[in-house]
């Protein structure tokens, strides 16, 4: 058990030092994107492209996810804070987009934010499984992580972006 605890302490050190996707967004100067969720999503997709090039760091993050099952786990608080921050960052960006007239006010911001974070983490897990040498994963788990998240982001934008026209200012696109 002590050996496993040390691995997780080391993992927390790595994550604390190098951060995660949304931490990187803050460092990358994305604070100015908070009022434009579509630009924030695009920046996030760009960061996922970099994650694909650093499979080992993505694997460390994913391996830490098991810590959510035990509140006493050394990584539990970090993971809970990370998940909270990720959902809150997207939710607040969607809400700011509503205020700025970029997002349909009917969009369920928290539900969409939570679904987005869950989709990203789930696809990362499938991507890692399908790219592991000697994997037992079926071809159906093989994923182009970036293309699938980009597709989802485009669908969100298509569904919820407010479109202005001279006849109908601030009218949402048809669903």
């Amino acid at each position: 058990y002590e050996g496993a605890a040390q691995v997780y302490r080391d993992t927390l050190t790595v994550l604390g030092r190098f951060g995660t996707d949304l931490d990187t967004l803050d460092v990358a100067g994305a604070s100015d994107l908070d009022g434009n969720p579509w630009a924030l999503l695009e920046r996030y997709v760009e960061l996922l492209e970099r994650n694909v090039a650093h499979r080992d760091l993505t694997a460390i993050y994913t391996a830490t996810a098991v810590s959510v099952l035990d509140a006493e786990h050394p990584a539990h608080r970090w993971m809970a804070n990370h998940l909270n921050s990720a959902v809150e960052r997207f939710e607040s960006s969607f809400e700011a987009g509503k205020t700025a007239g970029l997002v349909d006010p009917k969009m369920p911001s928290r539900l969409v934010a939570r679904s987005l974070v869950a989709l990203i983490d789930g696809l990362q897990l499938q991507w890692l499984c399908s790219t592991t040498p000697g994997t037992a994963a079926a071809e159906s788990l093989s994923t182009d992580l970036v293309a699938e998240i980009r597709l989802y982001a485009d669908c969100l934008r298509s569904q919820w972006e407010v479109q202005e026209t001279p006849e109908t200012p601030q009218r949402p696109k048809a669903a």
Side-chain angles (χ1 to χ4, degrees), residues 102-118:
L102 299 172
V103 176
D104 182 346
K106 295 177 188 154
M107 177 194 215
S109 298
R110 180 168 295 159
L111 185 145
V112 172
R114 225 180 15 250
S115 298
L116 178 61
V117 171

Side-chain angles (χ1 to χ4, degrees), residues 36 39 44 49-50 67 76 100 117 121 128 139 149 162 164 169:
N36 185 341
Y44 191 76
E49 288 173 340
R50 283 181 267 197
S67 69
H76 179 83
V117 171
D121 283 351
L128 288 166
E139 180 62 29
I149 296 301
V162 171
E164 288 188 54

Side-chain angles (χ1 to χ4, degrees), residues 53-127:
H54 300 285
R55 185 181 186 283
D56 290 343
L57 288 177
T58 303
I60 291 171
Y61 165 77
T62 303
T64 306
V66 72
S67 69
V68 301
L69 299 174
D70 179 4
E72 300 302 315
H73 192 284
H76 179 83
R77 183 174 305 281
W78 181 90
M79 183 57 77
N81 288 339
H82 168 70
L83 292 170
N84 291 334
S85 296
V87 170
E88 289 169 7
R89 177 73 187 267
F90 283 120
E91 180 184 13
S92 67
S93 183
F94 293 138
E95 289 298 311
K98 290 176 185 179
T99 302
L102 299 172
V103 176
D104 182 346
K106 295 177 188 154
M107 177 194 215
S109 298
R110 180 168 295 159
L111 185 145
V112 172
R114 225 180 15 250
S115 298
L116 178 61
V117 171
L119 177 64
I120 291 165
D121 283 351
L123 284 175
Q124 284 185 145
L125 183 62
Q126 290 178 34
W127 172 67

